[in-house]
Amino acid sequence: MTRTRLVAVSITAGLFLTGCGGPAKAGAAAVIGDTTIPVEAVQQRFDAWLKANPADAKQQREGNQMATLGRRQASIAITRELIRQVAAKEGVTYAEDQKEQAIEQAGGREQVVAKSLDTMDNIDQAVRAQLLSVGIGRKFADHLAVVLDFTNAATYTEAQAKAKEMARSDEAAAALVRKDTAGQPPNPQTGQSAETVRLNQKFTFQTILQQQNPAVLLPLFTVKPGDAVALSLNSGEQTGNGQWLVARVKSRTDRPVAGAPTQGGLAEQLNLTGLEAVGQIVVSYYANELGVRLNPRYGEWAGTETAVDKRVRDPRIPGSSFSVSRGDSQQ
């Protein structure tokens, strides 16, 4: 069993710039189910980070990066609340000595703070959130699987069109795959047709790990059955172009299935980074089921994103992944 040291870097604190009003409640930066993250709390934490890091704050201002910093911190704040809710629902906990041990392994509180957006006042929150995320990942790693129909697109615009078409129905998705694979030669190793390779394919977290760049494929697990998801395989995040994978999720599993063989204890093989990645997939899926209403002042909620600090993004810049629901496809 492999374990890496738990460094509380990816789940950070700090919150956001000021906003006016809210998505559903006055004074709300975000509303997650029945829980509100107030603008006031966001502003206080953001100000605390700026005060604690004057040199970095100056650099952010001079580089016109304050809005980006704010989006990252808002994303972290919302994710922490989501982790809390998922952990409570799933009965995931941690021992207090694990928190202190994690901080010690990371080089102490000063080292942890230096590598994050946290301050000394909220570093414990960061480590607790990461421990819970790892615990969630450990619970779900052996059971996470999706069945997909998928195809490719060359541009962000083409990916949008294909995702909308695939979200209409299973029949529409299969028809698009058949159209896109018509005339393509069979796989030289297996003899399978291109159509067969792209229809009703099952992906587990373990099979994703065997791919060349597993991280870019994680959004496949974040949407509910019947939705379509598109993800950039290279430069789409910055340019809107590049190679895109577009898929309709036909079914999704994250619980033990009676009579089905196990994956051989994947949760025991993964290091802490891998377990946290699974935890964040579950958090994204939970968020899409529960619904996150974000004050538009802060940006756009990226429901397919699994990176903690990228779930709030600038709506003017195409993201590296997005989803289309069946209802959206019929509008």
mmCIF file of all heavy atoms in Angstrom, residues 10-17 29-30 32 37 42 46 67-83 117 129 280 283-284 287 292 294 298-303 305-314:
data_model
loop_
_atom_site.group_PDB
_atom_site.id
_atom_site.type_symbol
_atom_site.label_atom_id
_atom_site.label_comp_id
_atom_site.label_asym_id
_atom_site.label_seq_id
_atom_site.Cartn_x
_atom_site.Cartn_y
_atom_site.Cartn_z
ATOM 1 N N SER A 10 -4.070 21.779 -1.743
ATOM 2 C CA SER A 10 -5.117 21.848 -2.749
ATOM 3 C C SER A 10 -6.442 22.354 -2.202
ATOM 4 O O SER A 10 -7.240 22.900 -2.945
ATOM 5 C CB SER A 10 -5.327 20.481 -3.391
ATOM 6 O OG SER A 10 -5.697 19.544 -2.410
ATOM 7 N N ILE A 11 -6.700 22.155 -0.925
ATOM 8 C CA ILE A 11 -7.919 22.697 -0.340
ATOM 9 C C ILE A 11 -7.510 23.857 0.544
ATOM 10 O O ILE A 11 -6.940 23.676 1.602
ATOM 11 C CB ILE A 11 -8.664 21.632 0.462
ATOM 12 C CG1 ILE A 11 -9.070 20.493 -0.472
ATOM 13 C CG2 ILE A 11 -9.864 22.211 1.156
ATOM 14 C CD1 ILE A 11 -9.844 19.403 0.193
ATOM 15 N N THR A 12 -7.795 25.049 0.072
ATOM 16 C CA THR A 12 -7.299 26.221 0.763
ATOM 17 C C THR A 12 -8.455 27.090 1.226
ATOM 18 O O THR A 12 -9.595 26.901 0.853
ATOM 19 C CB THR A 12 -6.390 27.038 -0.171
ATOM 20 O OG1 THR A 12 -7.118 27.345 -1.354
ATOM 21 C CG2 THR A 12 -5.153 26.247 -0.539
ATOM 22 N N ALA A 13 -8.127 28.066 2.034
ATOM 23 C CA ALA A 13 -9.169 28.929 2.576
ATOM 24 C C ALA A 13 -9.187 30.257 1.858
ATOM 25 O O ALA A 13 -8.772 30.384 0.739
ATOM 26 C CB ALA A 13 -8.920 29.144 4.060
ATOM 27 N N GLY A 14 -9.677 31.262 2.552
ATOM 28 C CA GLY A 14 -9.803 32.565 1.956
ATOM 29 C C GLY A 14 -11.095 32.584 1.169
ATOM 30 O O GLY A 14 -11.517 31.572 0.650
ATOM 31 N N LEU A 15 -11.688 33.730 1.015
ATOM 32 C CA LEU A 15 -12.911 33.742 0.244
ATOM 33 C C LEU A 15 -12.879 34.835 -0.817
ATOM 34 O O LEU A 15 -12.090 34.700 -1.728
ATOM 35 C CB LEU A 15 -14.108 33.790 1.173
ATOM 36 C CG LEU A 15 -14.258 32.508 1.961
ATOM 37 C CD1 LEU A 15 -15.144 32.688 3.167
ATOM 38 C CD2 LEU A 15 -14.820 31.436 1.104
ATOM 39 N N PHE A 16 -13.552 35.899 -0.741
ATOM 40 C CA PHE A 16 -13.749 36.592 -2.011
ATOM 41 C C PHE A 16 -13.853 38.105 -1.908
ATOM 42 O O PHE A 16 -13.816 38.678 -0.862
ATOM 43 C CB PHE A 16 -15.018 36.036 -2.652
ATOM 44 C CG PHE A 16 -14.985 36.001 -4.126
ATOM 45 C CD1 PHE A 16 -15.726 35.047 -4.792
ATOM 46 C CD2 PHE A 16 -14.244 36.882 -4.848
ATOM 47 C CE1 PHE A 16 -15.733 35.000 -6.159
ATOM 48 C CE2 PHE A 16 -14.244 36.842 -6.203
ATOM 49 C CZ PHE A 16 -14.999 35.900 -6.866
ATOM 50 N N LEU A 17 -13.976 38.684 -3.074
ATOM 51 C CA LEU A 17 -14.187 40.117 -3.215
ATOM 52 C C LEU A 17 -15.636 40.453 -2.857
ATOM 53 O O LEU A 17 -16.481 39.590 -2.783
ATOM 54 C CB LEU A 17 -13.923 40.540 -4.664
ATOM 55 C CG LEU A 17 -12.589 40.072 -5.250
ATOM 56 C CD1 LEU A 17 -12.547 40.402 -6.729
ATOM 57 C CD2 LEU A 17 -11.433 40.731 -4.528
ATOM 58 N N ALA A 29 -23.179 35.205 -1.154
ATOM 59 C CA ALA A 29 -22.201 34.983 -2.202
ATOM 60 C C ALA A 29 -22.556 33.725 -2.974
ATOM 61 O O ALA A 29 -22.389 33.654 -4.198
ATOM 62 C CB ALA A 29 -20.805 34.847 -1.599
ATOM 63 N N ALA A 30 -23.043 32.704 -2.259
ATOM 64 C CA ALA A 30 -23.490 31.463 -2.881
ATOM 65 C C ALA A 30 -24.488 30.791 -1.970
ATOM 66 O O ALA A 30 -24.459 30.968 -0.754
ATOM 67 C CB ALA A 30 -22.309 30.537 -3.153
ATOM 68 N N ILE A 32 -25.930 26.902 -1.304
ATOM 69 C CA ILE A 32 -25.737 25.477 -1.574
ATOM 70 C C ILE A 32 -26.843 24.728 -0.852
ATOM 71 O O ILE A 32 -26.810 24.580 0.373
ATOM 72 C CB ILE A 32 -24.364 25.001 -1.081
ATOM 73 C CG1 ILE A 32 -23.247 25.873 -1.670
ATOM 74 C CG2 ILE A 32 -24.147 23.540 -1.428
ATOM 75 C CD1 ILE A 32 -21.900 25.655 -1.009
ATOM 76 N N ILE A 37 -23.548 31.003 1.975
ATOM 77 C CA ILE A 37 -22.225 31.557 2.266
ATOM 78 C C ILE A 37 -22.345 33.068 2.095
ATOM 79 O O ILE A 37 -22.508 33.554 0.971
ATOM 80 C CB ILE A 37 -21.152 30.982 1.326
ATOM 81 C CG1 ILE A 37 -21.035 29.472 1.512
ATOM 82 C CG2 ILE A 37 -19.808 31.648 1.581
ATOM 83 C CD1 ILE A 37 -20.031 28.808 0.590
ATOM 84 N N VAL A 42 -17.164 36.078 3.160
ATOM 85 C CA VAL A 42 -16.229 35.982 2.042
ATOM 86 C C VAL A 42 -15.237 37.142 2.073
ATOM 87 O O VAL A 42 -14.024 36.964 1.960
ATOM 88 C CB VAL A 42 -17.013 35.973 0.714
ATOM 89 C CG1 VAL A 42 -16.112 36.196 -0.477
ATOM 90 C CG2 VAL A 42 -17.793 34.689 0.544
ATOM 91 N N PHE A 46 -11.102 37.101 2.645
ATOM 92 C CA PHE A 46 -10.255 37.605 1.569
ATOM 93 C C PHE A 46 -9.352 38.725 2.080
ATOM 94 O O PHE A 46 -8.145 38.756 1.804
ATOM 95 C CB PHE A 46 -11.142 38.103 0.426
ATOM 96 C CG PHE A 46 -10.370 38.517 -0.787
ATOM 97 C CD1 PHE A 46 -9.612 37.598 -1.491
ATOM 98 C CD2 PHE A 46 -10.412 39.834 -1.234
ATOM 99 C CE1 PHE A 46 -8.904 37.976 -2.633
ATOM 100 C CE2 PHE A 46 -9.706 40.207 -2.364
ATOM 101 C CZ PHE A 46 -8.956 39.291 -3.069
ATOM 102 N N ALA A 67 -9.252 39.546 -9.560
ATOM 103 C CA ALA A 67 -10.502 38.836 -9.857
ATOM 104 C C ALA A 67 -10.266 37.333 -9.938
ATOM 105 O O ALA A 67 -11.070 36.543 -9.442
ATOM 106 C CB ALA A 67 -11.101 39.350 -11.165
ATOM 107 N N THR A 68 -9.141 36.952 -10.541
ATOM 108 C CA THR A 68 -8.806 35.531 -10.623
ATOM 109 C C THR A 68 -8.588 34.951 -9.236
ATOM 110 O O THR A 68 -9.060 33.843 -8.916
ATOM 111 C CB THR A 68 -7.546 35.330 -11.480
ATOM 112 O OG1 THR A 68 -7.794 35.823 -12.798
ATOM 113 C CG2 THR A 68 -7.154 33.865 -11.549
ATOM 114 N N LEU A 69 -7.876 35.691 -8.403
ATOM 115 C CA LEU A 69 -7.650 35.258 -7.027
ATOM 116 C C LEU A 69 -8.982 35.117 -6.298
ATOM 117 O O LEU A 69 -9.208 34.157 -5.557
ATOM 118 C CB LEU A 69 -6.762 36.266 -6.312
ATOM 119 C CG LEU A 69 -6.505 36.023 -4.821
ATOM 120 C CD1 LEU A 69 -5.773 34.708 -4.612
ATOM 121 C CD2 LEU A 69 -5.726 37.181 -4.218
ATOM 122 N N GLY A 70 -9.867 36.062 -6.525
ATOM 123 C CA GLY A 70 -11.177 36.007 -5.884
ATOM 124 C C GLY A 70 -11.973 34.786 -6.309
ATOM 125 O O GLY A 70 -12.609 34.128 -5.485
ATOM 126 N N ARG A 71 -11.938 34.474 -7.615
ATOM 127 C CA ARG A 71 -12.650 33.296 -8.090
ATOM 128 C C ARG A 71 -12.088 32.016 -7.458
ATOM 129 O O ARG A 71 -12.834 31.121 -7.073
ATOM 130 C CB ARG A 71 -12.591 33.213 -9.615
ATOM 131 C CG ARG A 71 -13.597 34.124 -10.314
ATOM 132 C CD ARG A 71 -13.630 33.893 -11.796
ATOM 133 N NE ARG A 71 -12.455 34.418 -12.458
ATOM 134 C CZ ARG A 71 -12.350 35.662 -12.924
ATOM 135 N NH1 ARG A 71 -13.356 36.506 -12.761
ATOM 136 N NH2 ARG A 71 -11.253 36.066 -13.523
ATOM 137 N N ARG A 72 -10.761 31.941 -7.368
ATOM 138 C CA ARG A 72 -10.139 30.763 -6.754
ATOM 139 C C ARG A 72 -10.588 30.609 -5.301
ATOM 140 O O ARG A 72 -10.923 29.521 -4.845
ATOM 141 C CB ARG A 72 -8.621 30.885 -6.815
ATOM 142 C CG ARG A 72 -8.014 30.726 -8.187
ATOM 143 C CD ARG A 72 -6.517 30.906 -8.125
ATOM 144 N NE ARG A 72 -5.900 29.890 -7.281
ATOM 145 C CZ ARG A 72 -4.675 30.002 -6.747
ATOM 146 N NH1 ARG A 72 -3.963 31.105 -6.952
ATOM 147 N NH2 ARG A 72 -4.183 29.026 -6.009
ATOM 148 N N GLN A 73 -10.607 31.720 -4.599
ATOM 149 C CA GLN A 73 -10.959 31.656 -3.189
ATOM 150 C C GLN A 73 -12.449 31.367 -2.986
ATOM 151 O O GLN A 73 -12.836 30.661 -2.056
ATOM 152 C CB GLN A 73 -10.536 32.940 -2.497
ATOM 153 C CG GLN A 73 -9.014 33.094 -2.477
ATOM 154 C CD GLN A 73 -8.566 34.368 -1.779
ATOM 155 O OE1 GLN A 73 -9.236 35.385 -1.832
ATOM 156 N NE2 GLN A 73 -7.423 34.286 -1.121
ATOM 157 N N ALA A 74 -13.292 31.903 -3.860
ATOM 158 C CA ALA A 74 -14.719 31.585 -3.781
ATOM 159 C C ALA A 74 -14.947 30.110 -4.055
ATOM 160 O O ALA A 74 -15.750 29.451 -3.380
ATOM 161 C CB ALA A 74 -15.492 32.429 -4.781
ATOM 162 N N SER A 75 -14.247 29.586 -5.035
ATOM 163 C CA SER A 75 -14.355 28.167 -5.368
ATOM 164 C C SER A 75 -13.981 27.295 -4.179
ATOM 165 O O SER A 75 -14.653 26.309 -3.852
ATOM 166 C CB SER A 75 -13.441 27.856 -6.556
ATOM 167 O OG SER A 75 -13.537 26.512 -6.931
ATOM 168 N N ILE A 76 -12.910 27.673 -3.499
ATOM 169 C CA ILE A 76 -12.451 26.924 -2.325
ATOM 170 C C ILE A 76 -13.495 26.986 -1.211
ATOM 171 O O ILE A 76 -13.792 25.970 -0.564
ATOM 172 C CB ILE A 76 -11.098 27.484 -1.854
ATOM 173 C CG1 ILE A 76 -10.013 27.140 -2.877
ATOM 174 C CG2 ILE A 76 -10.728 26.958 -0.472
ATOM 175 C CD1 ILE A 76 -8.777 28.003 -2.776
ATOM 176 N N ALA A 77 -14.056 28.154 -0.999
ATOM 177 C CA ALA A 77 -15.047 28.310 0.069
ATOM 178 C C ALA A 77 -16.268 27.435 -0.176
ATOM 179 O O ALA A 77 -16.760 26.758 0.737
ATOM 180 C CB ALA A 77 -15.466 29.777 0.158
ATOM 181 N N ILE A 78 -16.760 27.426 -1.403
ATOM 182 C CA ILE A 78 -17.934 26.623 -1.729
ATOM 183 C C ILE A 78 -17.603 25.142 -1.624
ATOM 184 O O ILE A 78 -18.384 24.343 -1.102
ATOM 185 C CB ILE A 78 -18.441 26.984 -3.135
ATOM 186 C CG1 ILE A 78 -18.923 28.439 -3.160
ATOM 187 C CG2 ILE A 78 -19.574 26.055 -3.559
ATOM 188 C CD1 ILE A 78 -19.189 28.980 -4.546
ATOM 189 N N THR A 79 -16.435 24.774 -2.102
ATOM 190 C CA THR A 79 -16.031 23.368 -2.052
ATOM 191 C C THR A 79 -15.963 22.874 -0.624
ATOM 192 O O THR A 79 -16.367 21.741 -0.320
ATOM 193 C CB THR A 79 -14.682 23.176 -2.751
ATOM 194 O OG1 THR A 79 -14.809 23.514 -4.134
ATOM 195 C CG2 THR A 79 -14.203 21.737 -2.636
ATOM 196 N N ARG A 80 -15.464 23.689 0.286
ATOM 197 C CA ARG A 80 -15.380 23.269 1.686
ATOM 198 C C ARG A 80 -16.761 22.970 2.265
ATOM 199 O O ARG A 80 -16.946 21.999 2.995
ATOM 200 C CB ARG A 80 -14.686 24.344 2.510
ATOM 201 C CG ARG A 80 -13.189 24.308 2.300
ATOM 202 C CD ARG A 80 -12.511 25.096 3.391
ATOM 203 N NE ARG A 80 -11.082 25.042 3.181
ATOM 204 C CZ ARG A 80 -10.223 25.840 3.763
ATOM 205 N NH1 ARG A 80 -10.656 26.751 4.607
ATOM 206 N NH2 ARG A 80 -8.932 25.734 3.525
ATOM 207 N N GLU A 81 -17.726 23.803 1.923
ATOM 208 C CA GLU A 81 -19.078 23.553 2.408
ATOM 209 C C GLU A 81 -19.635 22.274 1.782
ATOM 210 O O GLU A 81 -20.303 21.475 2.456
ATOM 211 C CB GLU A 81 -19.976 24.746 2.087
ATOM 212 C CG GLU A 81 -21.451 24.542 2.396
ATOM 213 C CD GLU A 81 -21.732 24.174 3.851
ATOM 214 O OE1 GLU A 81 -20.935 24.537 4.750
ATOM 215 O OE2 GLU A 81 -22.762 23.521 4.098
ATOM 216 N N LEU A 82 -19.366 22.064 0.510
ATOM 217 C CA LEU A 82 -19.812 20.842 -0.152
ATOM 218 C C LEU A 82 -19.174 19.607 0.485
ATOM 219 O O LEU A 82 -19.848 18.589 0.713
ATOM 220 C CB LEU A 82 -19.474 20.890 -1.639
ATOM 221 C CG LEU A 82 -20.344 21.821 -2.483
ATOM 222 C CD1 LEU A 82 -19.696 22.054 -3.847
ATOM 223 C CD2 LEU A 82 -21.742 21.246 -2.655
ATOM 224 N N ILE A 83 -17.882 19.677 0.766
ATOM 225 C CA ILE A 83 -17.205 18.553 1.421
ATOM 226 C C ILE A 83 -17.856 18.259 2.759
ATOM 227 O O ILE A 83 -18.092 17.090 3.110
ATOM 228 C CB ILE A 83 -15.707 18.859 1.598
ATOM 229 C CG1 ILE A 83 -14.999 18.870 0.250
ATOM 230 C CG2 ILE A 83 -15.050 17.840 2.528
ATOM 231 C CD1 ILE A 83 -13.574 19.386 0.308
ATOM 232 N N LEU A 117 -3.591 29.365 0.103
ATOM 233 C CA LEU A 117 -4.281 30.643 0.248
ATOM 234 C C LEU A 117 -4.848 30.806 1.652
ATOM 235 O O LEU A 117 -5.703 31.648 1.888
ATOM 236 C CB LEU A 117 -5.412 30.755 -0.783
ATOM 237 C CG LEU A 117 -4.974 30.848 -2.245
ATOM 238 C CD1 LEU A 117 -6.187 30.951 -3.155
ATOM 239 C CD2 LEU A 117 -4.049 32.035 -2.465
ATOM 240 N N ALA A 129 -10.807 19.745 5.820
ATOM 241 C CA ALA A 129 -11.497 19.533 4.545
ATOM 242 C C ALA A 129 -10.765 18.507 3.689
ATOM 243 O O ALA A 129 -11.385 17.654 3.044
ATOM 244 C CB ALA A 129 -11.615 20.862 3.792
ATOM 245 N N GLN A 280 -13.061 14.475 -4.734
ATOM 246 C CA GLN A 280 -13.496 15.681 -5.432
ATOM 247 C C GLN A 280 -14.460 15.370 -6.569
ATOM 248 O O GLN A 280 -15.333 16.186 -6.899
ATOM 249 C CB GLN A 280 -12.283 16.459 -5.940
ATOM 250 C CG GLN A 280 -11.453 17.099 -4.842
ATOM 251 C CD GLN A 280 -12.255 18.048 -3.970
ATOM 252 O OE1 GLN A 280 -13.171 18.725 -4.432
ATOM 253 N NE2 GLN A 280 -11.935 18.088 -2.689
ATOM 254 N N VAL A 283 -17.703 15.104 -4.799
ATOM 255 C CA VAL A 283 -18.145 16.442 -4.419
ATOM 256 C C VAL A 283 -18.789 17.159 -5.609
ATOM 257 O O VAL A 283 -19.848 17.778 -5.482
ATOM 258 C CB VAL A 283 -16.967 17.263 -3.859
ATOM 259 C CG1 VAL A 283 -17.312 18.743 -3.778
ATOM 260 C CG2 VAL A 283 -16.571 16.746 -2.482
ATOM 261 N N SER A 284 -18.166 17.076 -6.783
ATOM 262 C CA SER A 284 -18.732 17.714 -7.980
ATOM 263 C C SER A 284 -20.081 17.110 -8.337
ATOM 264 O O SER A 284 -21.029 17.827 -8.682
ATOM 265 C CB SER A 284 -17.771 17.580 -9.160
ATOM 266 O OG SER A 284 -16.637 18.389 -8.982
ATOM 267 N N ALA A 287 -22.636 18.299 -5.912
ATOM 268 C CA ALA A 287 -22.980 19.695 -6.176
ATOM 269 C C ALA A 287 -23.970 19.810 -7.327
ATOM 270 O O ALA A 287 -24.902 20.624 -7.290
ATOM 271 C CB ALA A 287 -21.715 20.492 -6.487
ATOM 272 N N VAL A 292 -25.790 24.558 -6.964
ATOM 273 C CA VAL A 292 -25.032 25.661 -6.384
ATOM 274 C C VAL A 292 -25.467 26.941 -7.094
ATOM 275 O O VAL A 292 -25.307 27.075 -8.310
ATOM 276 C CB VAL A 292 -23.517 25.468 -6.554
ATOM 277 C CG1 VAL A 292 -22.763 26.693 -6.042
ATOM 278 C CG2 VAL A 292 -23.052 24.212 -5.820
ATOM 279 N N LEU A 294 -24.720 30.636 -7.524
ATOM 280 C CA LEU A 294 -23.589 31.540 -7.311
ATOM 281 C C LEU A 294 -23.977 32.966 -7.659
ATOM 282 O O LEU A 294 -24.602 33.217 -8.696
ATOM 283 C CB LEU A 294 -22.410 31.088 -8.187
ATOM 284 C CG LEU A 294 -21.137 31.920 -8.121
ATOM 285 C CD1 LEU A 294 -20.457 31.760 -6.764
ATOM 286 C CD2 LEU A 294 -20.178 31.498 -9.236
ATOM 287 N N TYR A 298 -19.381 37.007 -8.921
ATOM 288 C CA TYR A 298 -18.156 36.262 -8.707
ATOM 289 C C TYR A 298 -17.739 35.422 -9.898
ATOM 290 O O TYR A 298 -16.630 34.912 -9.940
ATOM 291 C CB TYR A 298 -18.308 35.358 -7.473
ATOM 292 C CG TYR A 298 -18.651 36.125 -6.223
ATOM 293 C CD1 TYR A 298 -19.618 35.664 -5.349
ATOM 294 C CD2 TYR A 298 -17.999 37.322 -5.923
ATOM 295 C CE1 TYR A 298 -19.934 36.370 -4.198
ATOM 296 C CE2 TYR A 298 -18.310 38.029 -4.783
ATOM 297 C CZ TYR A 298 -19.284 37.558 -3.921
ATOM 298 O OH TYR A 298 -19.585 38.263 -2.779
ATOM 299 N N GLY A 299 -18.631 35.224 -10.840
ATOM 300 C CA GLY A 299 -18.302 34.424 -12.006
ATOM 301 C C GLY A 299 -19.358 33.382 -12.282
ATOM 302 O O GLY A 299 -20.542 33.580 -12.012
ATOM 303 N N GLU A 300 -18.912 32.251 -12.813
ATOM 304 C CA GLU A 300 -19.808 31.183 -13.249
ATOM 305 C C GLU A 300 -19.417 29.884 -12.549
ATOM 306 O O GLU A 300 -18.233 29.563 -12.426
ATOM 307 C CB GLU A 300 -19.677 31.035 -14.767
ATOM 308 C CG GLU A 300 -20.463 29.922 -15.396
ATOM 309 C CD GLU A 300 -20.212 29.856 -16.891
ATOM 310 O OE1 GLU A 300 -19.154 29.316 -17.301
ATOM 311 O OE2 GLU A 300 -21.065 30.365 -17.652
ATOM 312 N N TRP A 301 -20.411 29.125 -12.106
ATOM 313 C CA TRP A 301 -20.141 27.851 -11.463
ATOM 314 C C TRP A 301 -19.839 26.796 -12.520
ATOM 315 O O TRP A 301 -20.616 26.576 -13.441
ATOM 316 C CB TRP A 301 -21.336 27.418 -10.616
ATOM 317 C CG TRP A 301 -21.126 26.092 -9.938
ATOM 318 C CD1 TRP A 301 -21.742 24.924 -10.246
ATOM 319 C CD2 TRP A 301 -20.240 25.820 -8.852
ATOM 320 N NE1 TRP A 301 -21.295 23.928 -9.408
ATOM 321 C CE2 TRP A 301 -20.371 24.455 -8.548
ATOM 322 C CE3 TRP A 301 -19.354 26.595 -8.106
ATOM 323 C CZ2 TRP A 301 -19.637 23.838 -7.532
ATOM 324 C CZ3 TRP A 301 -18.625 25.984 -7.088
ATOM 325 C CH2 TRP A 301 -18.778 24.633 -6.813
ATOM 326 N N ALA A 302 -18.696 26.139 -12.398
ATOM 327 C CA ALA A 302 -18.270 25.106 -13.341
ATOM 328 C C ALA A 302 -18.554 23.746 -12.721
ATOM 329 O O ALA A 302 -17.727 23.190 -11.991
ATOM 330 C CB ALA A 302 -16.787 25.262 -13.661
ATOM 331 N N GLY A 303 -19.717 23.205 -13.006
ATOM 332 C CA GLY A 303 -20.178 22.007 -12.328
ATOM 333 C C GLY A 303 -19.413 20.742 -12.652
ATOM 334 O O GLY A 303 -19.484 19.767 -11.903
ATOM 335 N N GLU A 305 -16.087 20.669 -13.072
ATOM 336 C CA GLU A 305 -14.690 20.831 -12.657
ATOM 337 C C GLU A 305 -14.419 20.045 -11.377
ATOM 338 O O GLU A 305 -15.214 20.066 -10.455
ATOM 339 C CB GLU A 305 -14.380 22.322 -12.449
ATOM 340 C CG GLU A 305 -12.945 22.633 -12.095
ATOM 341 C CD GLU A 305 -11.971 22.153 -13.128
ATOM 342 O OE1 GLU A 305 -11.941 22.731 -14.235
ATOM 343 O OE2 GLU A 305 -11.239 21.178 -12.836
ATOM 344 N N THR A 306 -13.277 19.359 -11.328
ATOM 345 C CA THR A 306 -12.912 18.600 -10.130
ATOM 346 C C THR A 306 -11.731 19.223 -9.393
ATOM 347 O O THR A 306 -11.360 18.739 -8.319
ATOM 348 C CB THR A 306 -12.569 17.140 -10.487
ATOM 349 O OG1 THR A 306 -11.483 17.116 -11.410
ATOM 350 C CG2 THR A 306 -13.779 16.439 -11.096
ATOM 351 N N ALA A 307 -11.137 20.265 -9.937
ATOM 352 C CA ALA A 307 -10.060 20.974 -9.242
ATOM 353 C C ALA A 307 -10.677 21.961 -8.261
ATOM 354 O O ALA A 307 -11.548 22.757 -8.626
ATOM 355 C CB ALA A 307 -9.163 21.711 -10.231
ATOM 356 N N VAL A 308 -10.232 21.903 -7.032
ATOM 357 C CA VAL A 308 -10.851 22.666 -5.947
ATOM 358 C C VAL A 308 -10.927 24.158 -6.250
ATOM 359 O O VAL A 308 -11.927 24.806 -5.975
ATOM 360 C CB VAL A 308 -10.071 22.433 -4.635
ATOM 361 C CG1 VAL A 308 -10.584 23.338 -3.526
ATOM 362 C CG2 VAL A 308 -10.183 20.982 -4.214
ATOM 363 N N ASP A 309 -9.866 24.717 -6.805
ATOM 364 C CA ASP A 309 -9.817 26.178 -6.986
ATOM 365 C C ASP A 309 -10.270 26.626 -8.369
ATOM 366 O O ASP A 309 -10.065 27.775 -8.748
ATOM 367 C CB ASP A 309 -8.411 26.706 -6.688
ATOM 368 C CG ASP A 309 -7.362 26.146 -7.642
ATOM 369 O OD1 ASP A 309 -7.673 25.199 -8.388
ATOM 370 O OD2 ASP A 309 -6.230 26.660 -7.639
ATOM 371 N N LYS A 310 -10.924 25.750 -9.148
ATOM 372 C CA LYS A 310 -11.362 26.131 -10.495
ATOM 373 C C LYS A 310 -12.860 25.983 -10.719
ATOM 374 O O LYS A 310 -13.335 26.120 -11.839
ATOM 375 C CB LYS A 310 -10.613 25.288 -11.536
ATOM 376 C CG LYS A 310 -9.122 25.581 -11.597
ATOM 377 C CD LYS A 310 -8.455 24.779 -12.704
ATOM 378 C CE LYS A 310 -6.968 25.103 -12.789
ATOM 379 N NZ LYS A 310 -6.305 24.314 -13.875
ATOM 380 N N ARG A 311 -13.604 25.746 -9.656
ATOM 381 C CA ARG A 311 -15.041 25.545 -9.835
ATOM 382 C C ARG A 311 -15.801 26.854 -10.053
ATOM 383 O O ARG A 311 -16.959 26.824 -10.470
ATOM 384 C CB ARG A 311 -15.604 24.786 -8.626
ATOM 385 C CG ARG A 311 -15.139 23.340 -8.571
ATOM 386 C CD ARG A 311 -15.862 22.571 -7.485
ATOM 387 N NE ARG A 311 -15.572 21.148 -7.589
ATOM 388 C CZ ARG A 311 -14.881 20.448 -6.699
ATOM 389 N NH1 ARG A 311 -14.402 21.041 -5.626
ATOM 390 N NH2 ARG A 311 -14.685 19.161 -6.870
ATOM 391 N N VAL A 312 -15.177 27.957 -9.761
ATOM 392 C CA VAL A 312 -15.735 29.259 -10.122
ATOM 393 C C VAL A 312 -14.823 29.839 -11.195
ATOM 394 O O VAL A 312 -13.622 29.959 -10.987
ATOM 395 C CB VAL A 312 -15.797 30.209 -8.910
ATOM 396 C CG1 VAL A 312 -16.276 31.592 -9.343
ATOM 397 C CG2 VAL A 312 -16.724 29.634 -7.842
ATOM 398 N N ARG A 313 -15.384 30.170 -12.335
ATOM 399 C CA ARG A 313 -14.546 30.631 -13.441
ATOM 400 C C ARG A 313 -15.126 31.870 -14.114
ATOM 401 O O ARG A 313 -16.301 32.213 -13.952
ATOM 402 C CB ARG A 313 -14.361 29.520 -14.472
ATOM 403 C CG ARG A 313 -15.611 29.103 -15.220
ATOM 404 C CD ARG A 313 -15.306 27.899 -16.094
ATOM 405 N NE ARG A 313 -16.481 27.386 -16.780
ATOM 406 C CZ ARG A 313 -16.587 26.135 -17.198
ATOM 407 N NH1 ARG A 313 -15.614 25.279 -16.996
ATOM 408 N NH2 ARG A 313 -17.686 25.730 -17.812
ATOM 409 N N ASP A 314 -14.291 32.517 -14.880
ATOM 410 C CA ASP A 314 -14.677 33.683 -15.667
ATOM 411 C C ASP A 314 -15.558 33.210 -16.818
ATOM 412 O O ASP A 314 -15.106 32.431 -17.670
ATOM 413 C CB ASP A 314 -13.414 34.360 -16.204
ATOM 414 C CG ASP A 314 -13.701 35.682 -16.895
ATOM 415 O OD1 ASP A 314 -14.861 35.905 -17.317
ATOM 416 O OD2 ASP A 314 -12.755 36.478 -17.037
#
